[in-house]
Amino acid sequence: MPDSPTVPLAISSAVVSVLPGRLDSVAATLSDLPGVEVRAAEGSKIVIVLEAPRGETGRQLVEIALLDGVVSANMVFEHIEEV
């Protein structure tokens, strides 16, 4: 049987800035998104880890930036892994 083709996976981190008073609700919403893990949340910043097929991270960040209560979502780091 031939080997399965490798699928490039992007593992990224991002900082999400939120409006005052919205930290908990936005963090809960982010936790429910597929491929998103909330790693830290304090003040008006949430640190997340994203896992998605290569090329999808930008779409994820736009989706996050458009959430109610979010001011911005900025990628900090990205690593591409062949899996």
Side-chain angles (χ1 to χ4, degrees):
M1 184 170 217
D3 290 336
S4 299
T6 59
V7 178
L9 179 68
I11 302 167
S12 309
S13 64
V15 175
V16 180
S17 298
V18 300
L19 293 171
R22 300 301 304 270
L23 185 75
D24 292 337
S25 63
V26 172
T29 300
L30 291 171
S31 294
D32 290 339
L33 296 176
V36 177
E37 181 182 344
V38 174
R39 300 296 297 174
E42 187 175 326
S44 64
K45 307 283 187 207
I46 302 171
V47 176
I48 60 174
V49 173
L50 306 161
E51 288 187 19
R54 186 178 194 170
E56 288 294 310
T57 306
R59 182 197 56 75
Q60 281 182 306
L61 286 173
V62 168
E63 179 182 337
I64 290 167
L66 294 173
L67 291 173
D68 189 36
V70 172
V71 175
S72 65
N74 297 294
M75 184 186 308
V76 176
F77 175 82
E78 181 175 49
H79 172 76
I80 305 297
E81 187 75 34
E82 298 290 331
V83 293

